[in-house]
Amino acid sequence: REFVDVQERQQQALQALELLARFVSRSRSLLDLRQVEPAVIAAMNNAGSRQAAIAVAELLPSHRSQAALVELASRVEEPLAARRLAAQAFARSVEQHGLLLTAVEIQRQYDRYNQSADLDAGTQGVLGALLDAIEAPTAHLRAAAAAESRQAKPEKQ
């Protein structure tokens, strides 16, 4: 009599994630995000709640959320659309919260990209997009260094 079937639980989970996304985007200070983060990350592994969970993970200013987005985007066994969504959310998270990955996690992404030569173009694109997001916070520094390098070279006559 108190049994809740799978479909109803799934609907409730989606509603909870949607409400959480709205709440987190408006008032982060009222909620201890560490309490909800494990559930959000777990929901990213469920096809039915993945999209809503990715939207919430993007809003959470934490290392664990960014790492989970990167891991989902890097799993070649997941549908390409889900991986693209996770990579886009990761890029927006980095833009909003800064890059929170560790040096080891960043190196792992470079290794994944370098080992992707035999994978499909879609997967290579997702892995490349992750690296673009990782490099984005320092893009202005690279551009300035390149400009300085061009100015330092003597002109040939």
Side-chain angles (χ1 to χ4, degrees), residues 10 16 30 42 46 55 58 78 89 100 104 106 128-129 138 144:
Q10 186 68 28
L30 298 177
N46 179 308
E58 172 187 330
E78 297 293 346
L100 304 174
V104 170
I106 293 168
T138 59

Side-chain angles (χ1 to χ4, degrees), residues 1-22 39-40 43 46 48-50 52-53 56:
R1 177 164 119 185
E2 295 181 25
F3 178 76
V4 179
D5 66 26
V6 173
Q7 187 176 16
E8 187 174 346
R9 283 196 317 266
Q10 186 68 28
Q11 288 174 339
Q12 290 172 349
L14 287 174
Q15 287 174 331
L17 287 166
E18 290 166 3
L19 289 170
L20 184 59
R22 279 193 267 165
V40 170
N46 179 308
S49 60
R50 179 173 290 142
V56 176

Side-chain angles (χ1 to χ4, degrees), residues 2-152:
E2 295 181 25
F3 178 76
V4 179
D5 66 26
V6 173
Q7 187 176 16
E8 187 174 346
R9 283 196 317 266
Q10 186 68 28
Q11 288 174 339
Q12 290 172 349
L14 287 174
Q15 287 174 331
L17 287 166
E18 290 166 3
L19 289 170
L20 184 59
R22 279 193 267 165
F23 186 76
V24 169
S25 67
R26 290 190 184 129
S27 56
R28 288 190 184 113
S29 63
L30 298 177
L31 177 67
D32 183 1
L33 300 176
R34 293 171 298 185
Q35 291 180 342
V36 298
E37 189 175 45
V40 170
I41 291 170
M44 287 172 50
N45 294 315
N46 179 308
S49 60
R50 179 173 290 142
Q51 186 172 355
I54 287 171
V56 176
E58 172 187 330
L59 299 171
L60 299 177
S62 77
H63 162 260
R64 287 179 60 192
S65 290
Q66 281 191 1
L69 289 166
V70 166
E71 288 304 311
L72 175 59
S74 300
R75 284 195 303 245
V76 295
E77 64 275 7
E78 297 293 346
L80 183 58
R83 291 184 281 142
R84 283 185 175 142
L85 189 63
Q88 292 164 353
F90 171 70
R92 288 188 298 268
S93 176
V94 169
E95 198 174 285
Q96 187 174 7
H97 308 297
L99 181 63
L100 304 174
L101 298 180
T102 66
V104 170
E105 291 164 334
I106 293 168
Q107 184 60 52
R108 184 180 312 126
Q109 283 312 118
Y110 278 97
D111 292 344
R112 285 173 172 159
Y113 180 80
N114 291 334
Q115 296 167 1
S116 71
D118 295 333
L119 299 177
D120 61 282
T123 296
Q124 289 176 338
V126 168
L127 294 173
L130 290 170
L131 293 183
D132 290 345
I134 287 169
E135 294 173 355
T138 59
H140 68 286
L141 297 174
R142 288 190 307 282
E148 189 175 301
S149 176
R150 284 192 298 274
Q151 290 175 350

